[in-house]
């Protein structure tokens, strides 16, 4: 996710998230999309397809990147208003 502000006080904010897990040989779970039925999360002992949306967002690379983005965006906006 990238945030860009243009002008004299331009900012570029790039955020990454990482999620470690194991790719299984057989699908497990009914939810999610893509590789979710194959991506096993050791912390919860199940695949991403079996996680609730809140569990998945707390672990997924997208969820982690968005959380970091929100924090950095808040900092940028605070700097702008000071």
């Amino acid at each position: 996710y990238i945030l860009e502000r243009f002008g004299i006080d331009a900012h570029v904010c790039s955020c990454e998230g990482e999620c470690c897990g194991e790719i299984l040989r057989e699908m497990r779970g009914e939810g999610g999309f893509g590789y979710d039925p194959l991506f096993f999360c050791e912390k919860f002992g199940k695949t991403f397809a079996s996680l609730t949306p809140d569990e998945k967002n707390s672990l997924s690379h997208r969820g982690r990147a968005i959380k970091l983005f929100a924090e950095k965006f808040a900092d940028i906006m605070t700097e702008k208003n000071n």
Side-chain angles (χ1 to χ4, degrees), residues 3 5 9-13 15 66-82:
L3 163 71
R5 273 190 30 217
D9 61 342
H11 291 277
V12 174
C13 176
C15 302
I66 288 173
K67 182 177 186 238
L68 182 57
F69 177 83
E71 292 168 2
K72 287 185 176 186
F73 181 75
D75 290 344
I76 289 169
M77 296 309 292
T78 299
E79 287 176 20
K80 178 184 178 227
N81 294 322
N82 287 334

Side-chain angles (χ1 to χ4, degrees), residues 18-24 28 35-52 54-60 64:
E18 183 176 297
C19 180
C20 296
E22 178 183 345
I23 302 296
L24 302 177
R28 293 187 200 166
Y35 288 99
D36 286 356
L38 295 172
F39 194 79
F40 183 79
C41 171
E42 189 171 315
K43 179 177 179 177
F44 287 100
K46 50 190 172 181
T47 65
F48 267 37
S50 300
L51 296 174
T52 67
D54 286 339
E55 289 172 331
K56 184 177 172 183
N57 287 336
S58 73
L59 297 171
S60 76
R64 290 178 178 187

